Amino acid sequence: MLLYISLTTIFISFILAVFNWQVNKNAIFLSLGLTLISVYAIAHYFIIYGNDPFWIAIFLNNFTPTHLLIGPFIFFYVRGTLTNKSKLRKNDWAHFLPAIIHLLGVLPWYFKPWDEKLAIATQIMNNKNLILDFHYNLIFAPLASFFIRPMLLLAYIIISFFLVLSPTAKFKKQVHLIPQKQYKITHRWLLMLLSTLLIADIGFIAITVDSALTNPVDSFSKYIGIHQFTALIFSIMSIALLFFPQVLYGMPNYLPAKDELTPPLEKTENDKLKVKNTIDSTKEDPFVGLAERIISYMDTEKPYTDEDFSIENISKALHEPLNHISYCLNNILNTKFTALRMKYRVNYAKELLGDEKNQHFTIEAIAHKCGFSSRSTFYAAFKEITNITPKEYIIKLKK
């Protein structure tokens, strides 16, 4: 079960990175952290419980440097979520030093003949207690290496807890600029993530200490429940992210630029009415102003008439981060970007079809003027919005 759960977590982590990195680039750090945790679990599964020397040889010592990256990636994710920034700082390279040092220590292992690795794996398979007898690292003894990994992760967990529970003065001043509902969701998620990591890490430290005092075989059998429970919890958390994607929006902090490159768009009374009817009634959300700018931009500039129009175009035109635009669409305008784009295109098509000046245009031409790539997509979208086809709509207008 441990193996399948870990593989599931890796797959979900990959999906998270692919579909969320543009909205919130900090999701990459979370995905990498969960993936490395899963690799860590898979390696331990084959080494501790495996009965195939081939797989033991594959995972024995080969991935240990990556285990020291779990803490930094989780820390980067937590810090980036709290600061609403995803770029690494100049001094962040220091966080990779332990992994680099460990890599240098195990470098000779990578050049060992495969037959020699397979022979060591066979011995460990027959007697798991021998796992502490082989020297896989030129710098650290086996037991020291086992201790360094969970202790380093523990340090990063404690630092991350401190960031979440003791926000900086700057963060406190700007907390009113963060949507409170999203703030609570993200804050609770960070605490749950770090608490789960803490429980898992303490369990692994206990296994390491017990292995040093007794022997690995007895320790593994004694704490097998911790391995399975931890893998199950992380898998559930990963799956939950697919059903509750708002967790991955982070904490958008609305700080309008002082010298906006795009001047405020003038709104007619009709535009103002559209904005009022489209936006959620709550005025406490600091992003309501940005949501109004999005609607005004759509109404005035008609960017949806471009066949390649995407959410990135809104971000660039308004000079706002992509995760801010995504937050406004999903939480204030209560719609998906694709749904909003389709609605605007269909409404514009209705406007063109109802104008006598456009009678000489074919339906295909009208579709392309509205941003649709083909007649079929136009028909499907039009009927989804109006419940009738474009031709039926034209006949209805003539009556």
Side-chain angles (χ1 to χ4, degrees), residues 105 147 283 346:
F147 266 111
K283 292 295 178 183
V346 170

Side-chain angles (χ1 to χ4, degrees), residues 7-196:
L7 289 173
T8 301
T9 304
I10 289 178
F11 174 73
I12 294 175
S13 299
F14 176 76
I15 296 296
L16 292 177
V18 170
F19 289 98
N20 291 285
W21 76 272
Q22 287 186 316
V23 175
N24 182 10
K25 291 182 173 58
N26 287 304
I28 295 176
F29 297 130
L30 175 62
S31 181
L32 289 172
L34 292 177
T35 298
L36 293 181
I37 289 171
S38 299
V39 171
Y40 191 47
I42 292 172
H44 277 75
Y45 170 83
F46 280 110
I47 295 171
I48 296 170
Y49 308 110
N51 293 311
D52 188 335
F54 174 83
W55 289 110
I56 295 176
I58 289 290
F59 285 99
L60 184 64
N61 204 40
N62 290 321
F63 296 94
T64 51
T66 66
H67 304 336
L68 297 174
L69 294 175
I70 296 173
F73 284 136
I74 295 299
F75 168 73
F76 293 151
Y77 169 69
V78 172
R79 187 187 67 184
T81 299
L82 294 173
T83 60
N84 196 35
K85 296 177 181 178
S86 58
K87 290 185 178 180
L88 296 181
R89 301 171 184 175
K90 290 182 179 179
N91 296 329
D92 281 339
W93 62 269
H95 294 283
F96 299 100
L97 276 178
I100 294 173
I101 294 172
H102 201 86
L103 176 63
L104 293 175
V106 301
L107 205 56
W109 173 266
Y110 297 132
F111 296 97
K112 277 184 179 291
W114 174 251
D115 291 341
E116 188 176 340
K117 290 182 180 180
L118 204 59
I120 294 174
T122 302
Q123 293 181 60
I124 291 176
M125 182 188 68
N126 295 327
N127 184 1
K128 303 296 183 181
N129 288 329
L130 294 177
I131 195 171
L132 295 178
D133 293 342
F134 292 101
H135 291 274
Y136 319 97
N137 195 310
L138 292 178
I139 301 175
F140 304 106
L143 192 58
S145 180
F146 287 139
F147 266 111
I148 289 172
R149 291 174 234 164
M151 295 306 295
L152 184 65
L153 178 57
L154 180 62
Y156 276 104
I157 293 172
I158 292 173
I159 294 172
S160 299
F161 260 122
F162 181 79
L163 291 178
V164 176
L165 298 175
S166 301
T168 62
K170 182 179 179 181
F171 181 84
K172 290 179 180 179
K173 289 180 180 179
Q174 297 180 356
V175 72
H176 68 283
L177 298 173
I178 302 173
Q180 291 305 295
K181 181 180 178 182
Q182 184 64 21
Y183 170 80
K184 291 177 182 178
I185 290 174
T186 308
H187 193 265
R188 290 169 184 169
W189 156 250
L190 291 177
L191 290 176
M192 182 176 70
L193 173 66
L194 294 174
S195 298
T196 305

Side-chain angles (χ1 to χ4, degrees), residues 56 152 277 296 344:
I56 295 176
L152 184 65
N277 291 336
S296 184
Y344 268 95

Side-chain angles (χ1 to χ4, degrees), residues 264-281:
L265 297 169
E266 294 294 331
K267 294 195 285 282
T268 64
E269 289 302 318
N270 187 41
D271 290 332
K272 292 178 181 178
L273 182 61
K274 289 180 182 178
V275 171
K276 183 178 179 181
N277 291 336
T278 305
I279 293 179
D280 196 306
S281 59

Side-chain angles (χ1 to χ4, degrees), residues 223-275:
Y223 291 98
I224 186 174
I226 292 180
H227 283 162
Q228 295 177 339
F229 173 76
T230 303
L232 181 61
I233 291 299
F234 274 110
S235 181
I236 292 174
M237 288 172 64
S238 299
I239 294 173
L241 291 175
L242 296 177
F243 293 97
F244 303 100
Q246 61 268 33
V247 168
L248 296 174
Y249 295 157
M251 294 185 182
N253 188 336
Y254 188 48
L255 292 173
K258 293 181 180 179
D259 52 344
E260 292 246 342
L261 297 178
T262 303
L265 297 169
E266 294 294 331
K267 294 195 285 282
T268 64
E269 289 302 318
N270 187 41
D271 290 332
K272 292 178 181 178
L273 182 61
K274 289 180 182 178
V275 171

